[in-house]
Amino acid sequence: MKLQNKVALVTGSSQGIGRGIAVRLAREGADLIINGRKEDEGARETLEQVRAEGRRACFIAADVGEPANCYRLIEQAVEQMGRLDILVNNAGVQKHAAFLDASEADYDQVLNVNLRGPFFLAQAFARHLRDSGRGGRIINNSSVHEELPFPNFSAYCASKGGLKMLTRNMAIELAPLGITVNNVAPGAIETPINQALMNQPEKLESLLDNIPAKRLGQPHDVAGAVAFLASDDADYVTGTTLVIDGGLLWNYSEQ
Ligand SMILES: NC(=O)c1ccc[n+]([C@@H]2O[C@H](COP(=O)([O-])OP(=O)(O)OC[C@H]3O[C@@H](n4cnc5c(N)ncnc54)[C@H](O)[C@@H]3O)[C@@H](O)[C@H]2O)c1
């Protein structure tokens, strides 16, 4: 087991990729803090799956779009588990709107959850590590859209592009503290965020045509990469993005 005696916080882990990451880190020996805006059925299911791996788990409700909640979340996590070694900034939202029509409210929500949250959670987490004299791991769940434009999702792309640069900056500033900072960038993963797409067979087919691996990714595809980045094996890896997309991002061909 790669993560024995470690404690990990995974934001937005009541479903989807976050749940997959939480369960995988537990399988590698970590104890887990599960997070979401409120303790719902999904959160309880994640807790159950983590405990079934034989690990300790607790749930802390927090809307990570608000810095005060981010500070409280880190504080409560340390209080409840005694320490914190791994932060996975996974919570994310997306809003569909043409650039010309996008509203301030949607922009704010997307940027707050996807970028402001990771910024202040990472800050509070890094301060905790600095004060404890220990290193640690920050892993951000970005997206291929940290690179790849996505029409009708400008705010989402801006948030993920920002996360990419934030990751690089934090990696440089936090390396002397023994903290590594990396992104995972999933392509199209089968989760509730893509429910609308799943319900439209034609759109799904055209997406699959663009994916060289010819399948959607699954949460466990992302979780395996996160487990690696969280482990000692990745001790010298920092400031980078690991793309997990079946070849989608760099796919180009001519007939
Ligand atoms: N599914 C994909 O194809 C895909 C691709 C690339 C990147 N991602 C990224 O992966 C991450 C997880 O996405 P997913 O596909 O599992 O989506 P999802 O909608 O299934 O899960 C998102 C999770 O974030 C939580 N969340 C949302 N707002 C929150 C807030 N303010 N505070 C706390 N928690 C909040 C939700 O409750 C949920 O548990 C996101 O950052 C997303 O941008 C997903």
Side-chain angles (χ1 to χ4, degrees), residues 11-19 21 35-38 40 60-66 73 89-94 109 112-114 140-145 156 159-160 163 184-194 197 216-217 219 222 244:
T11 66
S13 42
S14 57
Q15 62 179 40
I17 297 173
R19 175 185 290 164
I21 292 171
N35 156 260
R37 278 160 298 186
K38 59 177 182 351
D40 55 14
I60 301 178
D63 177 340
V64 300
E66 187 50 54
L73 174 55
N89 280 314
N90 167 78
V93 291
Q94 62 181 36
Q109 195 196 350
N112 284 350
V113 178
N114 297 8
N140 300 315
N141 194 352
S142 172
S143 166
V144 287
H145 299 299
Y156 185 77
S159 72
K160 298 299 187 178
L163 195 53
V184 288
I189 311 297
E190 196 172 338
T191 72
I193 215 174
N194 286 322
L197 178 73
L216 293 177
V222 182
I244 305 151

Side-chain angles (χ1 to χ4, degrees), residues 132-148:
S132 321
R134 291 184 289 109
R137 298 279 187 267
I138 298 171
I139 300 149
N140 300 315
N141 194 352
S142 172
S143 166
V144 287
H145 299 299
E146 68 169 43
E147 295 283 359
L148 187 67

